[in-house]
Amino acid sequence: MRPLERVLVALEAAGGPGADGELWAFCPAHDDRNTPNLHVREAEDGGVLLHCFAGCSQEEVLAALEERGVRRRDLFAGPEPGAAGERGAHPAPRQRATLQPPPGDGVGVRSEALHPAPQPPATPRRPCTLEAYAEAKGLPVEFLRELGLSTISYMGRKAVRMPYLTEDGREAAVRLRLALERSPQGDGRFRWRKGSKPTLYGLWRMERVREAGYVVLVEGESDCHTLWHHGIEALGVPGATSWKAEWAAHLEGIGRVYAVIEPDAGGGAFGEKLAASPALRDRLRFVEPGGAKDVSELHLSDPARFEERLRAAFGRASLWTDLRREQSDAAARESWRACEKLARERRILDRFAEALERSGVAGEVRAAKLLYLALTSRLLERPVSVAVKGPSSGGKTYLVERVLSFFPESAYYALTAMSERTLAYSEEPIKHRFLVIYEAEGMSGDFATYLMRSLLSEGRVRYETVESTPQGIRPRLIEREGPTGLIVTTTAVRLHPENETRLLSLAVTDTREQTRSVIRALAKRNREEPDLSPWLALQEWLSSPGAARGVEIPYAEALAELVPPVAVRLRRDFGAVLNLVRAHALLHGASRERDEEGRILADLDDYAAVRELVADLVSEGVEAAVPKTVRETVETARRLLEDSGGEPITTAAIARELRLDKSAALRRVRAAIDRGHLKNLEDRRGRPARIVLGDPLAGEVEVLPSVEKLRGCRVAGSTGGSDTPLPTARPPEDPEDATTPDDGSANGNPGGRRVRFTL
């Protein structure tokens, strides 16, 4: 293999060299992957010339290539200059008049210039030694050595080695600091030693933390070094977004947890990651570093006043729960202003159907309303899950997507497919949220369906596994908190039997009339895009922390007495009906009365709206009624069989009679066979079906009673509406009435190196 080819393989360069044997590639000696700034050219003797325009030295580039398996002697075809008969390195020139830096779009191009211009010399990098690091951070070198820091050589350059020790003092990870300043190409200052498993920095000081009763969480190691030098107990998180929920176990029993939030996007992400840990958020206090970027900068700007300014910053610290309440109250008030008119509507689902139709969705009013109501039920303790069924190209996915557009993204998490253990390992929040799977086949595998059943039935996932740790193989319990609802689309007539009973099955319309309506909607030129802002605001207002979630159904017991116990499945379906009633009442909470405990009182209008949507679905689910499409298919087959003198008929004949395409007719026939009303006498694969009649169609049983029956029941009673709604979110307290948390700043501890700092 030619030397240039060896380099191309090592650098994983896209494409080959140009006609003159040169190209641009990403330099292996630093972490920039945005701009290819390593110039590679084949020398006249067949060797390779290398030059990094980001400032990496020849030695650094060669050392990095050696790390990738390219020996130095393999890079050159002839003897080393100045050493006849020996193979060695061609020293690449630091400047070449014919070379130009790569273009800003990062595309490798020829390096010649029409008018050669001198290349400005690369800015020399300051070696990252422990002494240079101590000077840059304003800390004593000996203090840092006591913490285990040292200078090492890494890939031909100096680096500061920072060991991560466990609570018992064993080395679990090592992080290397390669540079003191962030480079223009990106932050390539840090690198983990191979095999390191990131964890909290400073765990070996946990005994001190427990004794102090507080801890300060910061980003990175340097802020820890600064705080420790001033006697302040701290732990470092190695990156703004690297916090893991299981790390909160180290802080169990620590009464006050402060987090320094840096004034940038990373600081915001850091705070959100910490607040997402349920075991931490109630003790979490956010601290802003007093106008500085971070703790280290605050120290460097005025070392003499560092502790005074830091105490002042801790005095202004706010509990995360207080900040969250203030933010949510303000957001709730803003949402209410945007949705007040819509929230006061008496029939919100009708307004939704009208807006959906104007946006280009043809028909499917019942399906759309039920999906909207199910998604609103995410706010309850038992969301109602739905399976949308229909033939391929029936519009299932489009319908679901259009309904989802009326909800904020925080209401759902949509996927086309997921692996078997996604529900266990994903960090995406699923509490009071819907999981949307486009095509049930994407939820493949017995284990995936098992986790889904557990999530829907128990409202959470508890999955115990084992993982490799520095202490060996250890068990790990993964918990995903719900409740969570599921919307899944499928072309199947039935899902997994255990999943089928946990979802309401909703079929899209497969008739020619519906197809005609869809075609007309597609051809319509002046399609109106609805204003979604009040709809999004309505759902945000309903989901605000201060909003009413409790719903009481005064007539629930009377309704239960009127429902015939015709099937065991009703034990689950009746609960789903009640939750849809609660969701409808919650949606209309601005026009419903409240009880003494502040719960929304559902009235008969809520039951009437839900019964209109699901009465037949419930009856069909418990097989107390035959779906209209199945009954129509069986009756058609009966007529055709009479005409044929009892000879078996084909699916194609049924399709022609019903004026359906073959796929839609096949789904109907399969559904009828599944219920036993038709039989297929053909048992050979690939042969046309031979359809005959099966079990006779039974009479229908009314499972959900009419509103009139329920109203006439003496136990039911009636609860009219109310016109006195208001945002239920509690307004924040007046800032002037707020009290400053007791942070110990009045103790007057002067601080200093190794002096206990009281918070």
Side-chain angles (χ1 to χ4, degrees), residues 669-686:
V669 170
R670 285 175 177 171
I673 292 174
D674 185 65
R675 289 175 172 267
H677 300 307
L678 293 178
K679 293 180 180 179
N680 181 13
L681 300 182
E682 183 58 67
D683 56 3
R684 291 173 295 177
R685 294 179 61 86

PDB file of all heavy atoms in Angstrom, residues 669-686:
ATOM      1  N   VAL A 669     -63.462  -9.048   5.413  1.00  0.00           N
ATOM      2  CA  VAL A 669     -63.676 -10.503   5.442  1.00  0.00           C
ATOM      3  C   VAL A 669     -62.885 -11.134   6.583  1.00  0.00           C
ATOM      4  O   VAL A 669     -63.376 -12.004   7.303  1.00  0.00           O
ATOM      5  CB  VAL A 669     -63.291 -11.122   4.088  1.00  0.00           C
ATOM      6  CG1 VAL A 669     -63.268 -12.652   4.172  1.00  0.00           C
ATOM      7  CG2 VAL A 669     -64.270 -10.677   3.004  1.00  0.00           C
ATOM      8  N   ARG A 670     -61.637 -10.689   6.760  1.00  0.00           N
ATOM      9  CA  ARG A 670     -60.830 -11.222   7.863  1.00  0.00           C
ATOM     10  C   ARG A 670     -61.466 -10.926   9.214  1.00  0.00           C
ATOM     11  O   ARG A 670     -61.450 -11.760  10.115  1.00  0.00           O
ATOM     12  CB  ARG A 670     -59.425 -10.629   7.810  1.00  0.00           C
ATOM     13  CG  ARG A 670     -58.551 -11.211   6.704  1.00  0.00           C
ATOM     14  CD  ARG A 670     -57.213 -10.488   6.645  1.00  0.00           C
ATOM     15  NE  ARG A 670     -56.339 -11.064   5.641  1.00  0.00           N
ATOM     16  CZ  ARG A 670     -55.188 -10.518   5.268  1.00  0.00           C
ATOM     17  NH1 ARG A 670     -54.783  -9.367   5.822  1.00  0.00           N
ATOM     18  NH2 ARG A 670     -54.449 -11.105   4.355  1.00  0.00           N
ATOM     19  N   ALA A 671     -62.011  -9.711   9.373  1.00  0.00           N
ATOM     20  CA  ALA A 671     -62.677  -9.369  10.621  1.00  0.00           C
ATOM     21  C   ALA A 671     -63.891 -10.257  10.860  1.00  0.00           C
ATOM     22  O   ALA A 671     -64.150 -10.708  11.978  1.00  0.00           O
ATOM     23  CB  ALA A 671     -63.084  -7.892  10.611  1.00  0.00           C
ATOM     24  N   ALA A 672     -64.653 -10.546   9.792  1.00  0.00           N
ATOM     25  CA  ALA A 672     -65.832 -11.416   9.921  1.00  0.00           C
ATOM     26  C   ALA A 672     -65.418 -12.841  10.252  1.00  0.00           C
ATOM     27  O   ALA A 672     -66.060 -13.524  11.068  1.00  0.00           O
ATOM     28  CB  ALA A 672     -66.653 -11.361   8.642  1.00  0.00           C
ATOM     29  N   ILE A 673     -64.328 -13.316   9.633  1.00  0.00           N
ATOM     30  CA  ILE A 673     -63.823 -14.655   9.945  1.00  0.00           C
ATOM     31  C   ILE A 673     -63.314 -14.712  11.372  1.00  0.00           C
ATOM     32  O   ILE A 673     -63.542 -15.689  12.096  1.00  0.00           O
ATOM     33  CB  ILE A 673     -62.710 -15.038   8.938  1.00  0.00           C
ATOM     34  CG1 ILE A 673     -63.303 -15.232   7.534  1.00  0.00           C
ATOM     35  CG2 ILE A 673     -61.983 -16.294   9.389  1.00  0.00           C
ATOM     36  CD1 ILE A 673     -62.249 -15.467   6.463  1.00  0.00           C
ATOM     37  N   ASP A 674     -62.636 -13.639  11.805  1.00  0.00           N
ATOM     38  CA  ASP A 674     -62.107 -13.586  13.159  1.00  0.00           C
ATOM     39  C   ASP A 674     -63.224 -13.682  14.195  1.00  0.00           C
ATOM     40  O   ASP A 674     -63.056 -14.286  15.261  1.00  0.00           O
ATOM     41  CB  ASP A 674     -61.319 -12.286  13.350  1.00  0.00           C
ATOM     42  CG  ASP A 674     -60.626 -12.226  14.700  1.00  0.00           C
ATOM     43  OD1 ASP A 674     -59.733 -13.046  14.931  1.00  0.00           O
ATOM     44  OD2 ASP A 674     -61.001 -11.362  15.510  1.00  0.00           O
ATOM     45  N   ARG A 675     -64.395 -13.124  13.878  1.00  0.00           N
ATOM     46  CA  ARG A 675     -65.532 -13.191  14.795  1.00  0.00           C
ATOM     47  C   ARG A 675     -66.373 -14.452  14.590  1.00  0.00           C
ATOM     48  O   ARG A 675     -67.333 -14.668  15.331  1.00  0.00           O
ATOM     49  CB  ARG A 675     -66.413 -11.949  14.614  1.00  0.00           C
ATOM     50  CG  ARG A 675     -65.779 -10.673  15.148  1.00  0.00           C
ATOM     51  CD  ARG A 675     -66.616  -9.455  14.844  1.00  0.00           C
ATOM     52  NE  ARG A 675     -66.084  -8.291  15.535  1.00  0.00           N
ATOM     53  CZ  ARG A 675     -66.488  -7.876  16.733  1.00  0.00           C
ATOM     54  NH1 ARG A 675     -67.442  -8.522  17.370  1.00  0.00           N
ATOM     55  NH2 ARG A 675     -65.953  -6.813  17.293  1.00  0.00           N
ATOM     56  N   GLY A 676     -66.023 -15.247  13.596  1.00  0.00           N
ATOM     57  CA  GLY A 676     -66.714 -16.508  13.381  1.00  0.00           C
ATOM     58  C   GLY A 676     -67.953 -16.440  12.522  1.00  0.00           C
ATOM     59  O   GLY A 676     -68.641 -17.456  12.345  1.00  0.00           O
ATOM     60  N   HIS A 677     -68.243 -15.262  11.947  1.00  0.00           N
ATOM     61  CA  HIS A 677     -69.467 -15.126  11.150  1.00  0.00           C
ATOM     62  C   HIS A 677     -69.264 -15.595   9.716  1.00  0.00           C
ATOM     63  O   HIS A 677     -70.246 -15.842   9.007  1.00  0.00           O
ATOM     64  CB  HIS A 677     -69.932 -13.669  11.162  1.00  0.00           C
ATOM     65  CG  HIS A 677     -70.232 -13.169  12.543  1.00  0.00           C
ATOM     66  ND1 HIS A 677     -71.085 -13.834  13.398  1.00  0.00           N
ATOM     67  CD2 HIS A 677     -69.781 -12.078  13.213  1.00  0.00           C
ATOM     68  CE1 HIS A 677     -71.152 -13.170  14.546  1.00  0.00           C
ATOM     69  NE2 HIS A 677     -70.362 -12.093  14.457  1.00  0.00           N
ATOM     70  N   LEU A 678     -68.018 -15.692   9.259  1.00  0.00           N
ATOM     71  CA  LEU A 678     -67.700 -16.263   7.956  1.00  0.00           C
ATOM     72  C   LEU A 678     -66.608 -17.307   8.143  1.00  0.00           C
ATOM     73  O   LEU A 678     -65.870 -17.284   9.131  1.00  0.00           O
ATOM     74  CB  LEU A 678     -67.226 -15.183   6.971  1.00  0.00           C
ATOM     75  CG  LEU A 678     -68.231 -14.129   6.511  1.00  0.00           C
ATOM     76  CD1 LEU A 678     -67.554 -13.132   5.585  1.00  0.00           C
ATOM     77  CD2 LEU A 678     -69.451 -14.747   5.846  1.00  0.00           C
ATOM     78  N   LYS A 679     -66.505 -18.230   7.150  1.00  0.00           N
ATOM     79  CA  LYS A 679     -65.459 -19.244   7.169  1.00  0.00           C
ATOM     80  C   LYS A 679     -64.799 -19.291   5.796  1.00  0.00           C
ATOM     81  O   LYS A 679     -65.448 -19.055   4.778  1.00  0.00           O
ATOM     82  CB  LYS A 679     -66.040 -20.619   7.501  1.00  0.00           C
ATOM     83  CG  LYS A 679     -66.584 -20.747   8.908  1.00  0.00           C
ATOM     84  CD  LYS A 679     -67.129 -22.162   9.135  1.00  0.00           C
ATOM     85  CE  LYS A 679     -67.687 -22.299  10.545  1.00  0.00           C
ATOM     86  NZ  LYS A 679     -68.247 -23.671  10.770  1.00  0.00           N
ATOM     87  N   ASN A 680     -63.506 -19.623   5.792  1.00  0.00           N
ATOM     88  CA  ASN A 680     -62.758 -19.815   4.546  1.00  0.00           C
ATOM     89  C   ASN A 680     -62.419 -21.294   4.428  1.00  0.00           C
ATOM     90  O   ASN A 680     -61.643 -21.835   5.221  1.00  0.00           O
ATOM     91  CB  ASN A 680     -61.490 -18.967   4.545  1.00  0.00           C
ATOM     92  CG  ASN A 680     -60.697 -19.110   3.261  1.00  0.00           C
ATOM     93  OD1 ASN A 680     -61.192 -19.657   2.275  1.00  0.00           O
ATOM     94  ND2 ASN A 680     -59.464 -18.615   3.267  1.00  0.00           N
ATOM     95  N   LEU A 681     -63.024 -21.965   3.450  1.00  0.00           N
ATOM     96  CA  LEU A 681     -62.814 -23.400   3.275  1.00  0.00           C
ATOM     97  C   LEU A 681     -61.488 -23.715   2.588  1.00  0.00           C
ATOM     98  O   LEU A 681     -61.069 -24.877   2.583  1.00  0.00           O
ATOM     99  CB  LEU A 681     -63.969 -24.000   2.448  1.00  0.00           C
ATOM    100  CG  LEU A 681     -65.376 -23.854   3.041  1.00  0.00           C
ATOM    101  CD1 LEU A 681     -66.393 -24.523   2.141  1.00  0.00           C
ATOM    102  CD2 LEU A 681     -65.430 -24.422   4.456  1.00  0.00           C
ATOM    103  N   GLU A 682     -60.825 -22.692   2.011  1.00  0.00           N
ATOM    104  CA  GLU A 682     -59.560 -22.914   1.311  1.00  0.00           C
ATOM    105  C   GLU A 682     -58.407 -22.882   2.311  1.00  0.00           C
ATOM    106  O   GLU A 682     -58.193 -21.878   2.996  1.00  0.00           O
ATOM    107  CB  GLU A 682     -59.355 -21.850   0.238  1.00  0.00           C
ATOM    108  CG  GLU A 682     -58.091 -22.049  -0.601  1.00  0.00           C
ATOM    109  CD  GLU A 682     -58.082 -23.391  -1.292  1.00  0.00           C
ATOM    110  OE1 GLU A 682     -58.918 -23.598  -2.193  1.00  0.00           O
ATOM    111  OE2 GLU A 682     -57.247 -24.235  -0.891  1.00  0.00           O
ATOM    112  N   ASP A 683     -57.664 -23.974   2.416  1.00  0.00           N
ATOM    113  CA  ASP A 683     -56.551 -24.024   3.364  1.00  0.00           C
ATOM    114  C   ASP A 683     -55.190 -24.020   2.679  1.00  0.00           C
ATOM    115  O   ASP A 683     -54.163 -24.157   3.324  1.00  0.00           O
ATOM    116  CB  ASP A 683     -56.670 -25.269   4.260  1.00  0.00           C
ATOM    117  CG  ASP A 683     -56.752 -26.564   3.458  1.00  0.00           C
ATOM    118  OD1 ASP A 683     -56.651 -26.485   2.218  1.00  0.00           O
ATOM    119  OD2 ASP A 683     -56.922 -27.626   4.081  1.00  0.00           O
ATOM    120  N   ARG A 684     -55.168 -23.865   1.345  1.00  0.00           N
ATOM    121  CA  ARG A 684     -53.897 -23.825   0.616  1.00  0.00           C
ATOM    122  C   ARG A 684     -53.493 -22.366   0.391  1.00  0.00           C
ATOM    123  O   ARG A 684     -54.301 -21.565  -0.081  1.00  0.00           O
ATOM    124  CB  ARG A 684     -54.029 -24.554  -0.721  1.00  0.00           C
ATOM    125  CG  ARG A 684     -54.207 -26.070  -0.582  1.00  0.00           C
ATOM    126  CD  ARG A 684     -54.512 -26.712  -1.934  1.00  0.00           C
ATOM    127  NE  ARG A 684     -55.794 -26.254  -2.461  1.00  0.00           N
ATOM    128  CZ  ARG A 684     -56.275 -26.621  -3.650  1.00  0.00           C
ATOM    129  NH1 ARG A 684     -55.577 -27.425  -4.431  1.00  0.00           N
ATOM    130  NH2 ARG A 684     -57.452 -26.175  -4.055  1.00  0.00           N
ATOM    131  N   ARG A 685     -52.235 -22.070   0.723  1.00  0.00           N
ATOM    132  CA  ARG A 685     -51.747 -20.710   0.589  1.00  0.00           C
ATOM    133  C   ARG A 685     -51.660 -20.319  -0.876  1.00  0.00           C
ATOM    134  O   ARG A 685     -51.295 -21.112  -1.736  1.00  0.00           O
ATOM    135  CB  ARG A 685     -50.359 -20.559   1.242  1.00  0.00           C
ATOM    136  CG  ARG A 685     -50.360 -20.743   2.738  1.00  0.00           C
ATOM    137  CD  ARG A 685     -48.948 -20.604   3.300  1.00  0.00           C
ATOM    138  NE  ARG A 685     -48.388 -19.289   3.045  1.00  0.00           N
ATOM    139  CZ  ARG A 685     -48.578 -18.245   3.824  1.00  0.00           C
ATOM    140  NH1 ARG A 685     -49.336 -18.345   4.909  1.00  0.00           N
ATOM    141  NH2 ARG A 685     -48.024 -17.083   3.525  1.00  0.00           N
ATOM    142  N   GLY A 686     -52.010 -19.064  -1.166  1.00  0.00           N
ATOM    143  CA  GLY A 686     -51.918 -18.547  -2.516  1.00  0.00           C
ATOM    144  C   GLY A 686     -53.123 -18.842  -3.386  1.00  0.00           C
ATOM    145  O   GLY A 686     -53.179 -18.385  -4.533  1.00  0.00           O
TER     146      GLY A 686
END
